[in-house]
Amino acid sequence: MARGEVFIASGFGLVHGLAFASLIGDLGLGRGSLVTTLLGFNLGIELTQLLVVALMMPSLLVLARTAVYPAFRIGVALVGLLFSVSWMLERATLTSADPFEGIQTWLVGHPLLVAVSVAALAAVARRTAPRTPRATPEHSGAH
């Protein structure tokens, strides 16, 4: 059951798309150049997203079956929130620099290390903190 993820993703996509559209508009490209630029950019983004999914999904599926996953999910969401707020404050010129830019650049520059780290966490969590099955009416004694 979705718990607001659709609305979050839609809002993020809308804001991201509007920002991207304004940046592309500022480039002053002709119609032919604009189509080629947008097509190349979108293909590159989609291929990168597929690569990220291929690298991360197996580990995340294993991790999701452990007791560690809820804390991991919240932790990653909080880091994403922290990064996005600091980025937004910098873009809105409310701060002079993004204090997390170095960390973000390092993470983007080392995707295999990030993927291997998540895989290692998933492997350790699977061995040490497997999720216990939820009690169902048949197993809990309540009839």
Side-chain angles (χ1 to χ4, degrees):
M1 173 189 274
R3 292 176 287 185
E5 287 91 348
V6 171
F7 294 114
I8 292 169
S10 297
F12 178 80
L14 177 64
V15 171
H16 191 259
L18 290 172
F20 180 68
S22 71
L23 289 173
I24 289 291
D26 291 344
L27 292 177
L29 299 172
R31 191 169 196 86
S33 296
L34 181 62
V35 171
T36 305
T37 300
L38 285 174
L39 182 61
F41 178 81
N42 283 324
L43 286 174
I45 290 295
E46 294 304 324
L47 289 173
T48 302
Q49 288 176 349
L50 288 173
L51 178 62
V52 168
V53 168
L55 284 173
M56 298 298 293
M57 190 58 72
S59 299
L60 292 175
L61 289 172
V62 169
L63 196 57
R65 292 181 177 92
T66 70
V68 172
Y69 184 67
F72 176 81
R73 181 177 173 185
I74 290 169
V76 169
L78 289 174
V79 168
L81 177 65
L82 183 65
F83 285 176
S84 63
V85 168
S86 67
W87 181 84
M88 181 186 68
L89 292 173
E90 180 191 13
R91 297 303 186 272
T93 65
L94 297 174
T95 59
S96 60
D98 181 351
F100 303 105
E101 185 175 356
I103 297 168
Q104 296 162 3
T105 301
W106 187 90
L107 289 169
V108 169
H110 299 87
L112 291 177
L113 186 57
V114 172
V116 167
S117 298
V118 173
L121 174 64
V124 169
R126 183 171 182 216
R127 289 189 179 273
T128 61
R131 180 177 285 170
T132 56
R134 293 183 185 181
T136 59
E138 303 88 47
H139 296 104
S140 65
H143 293 281

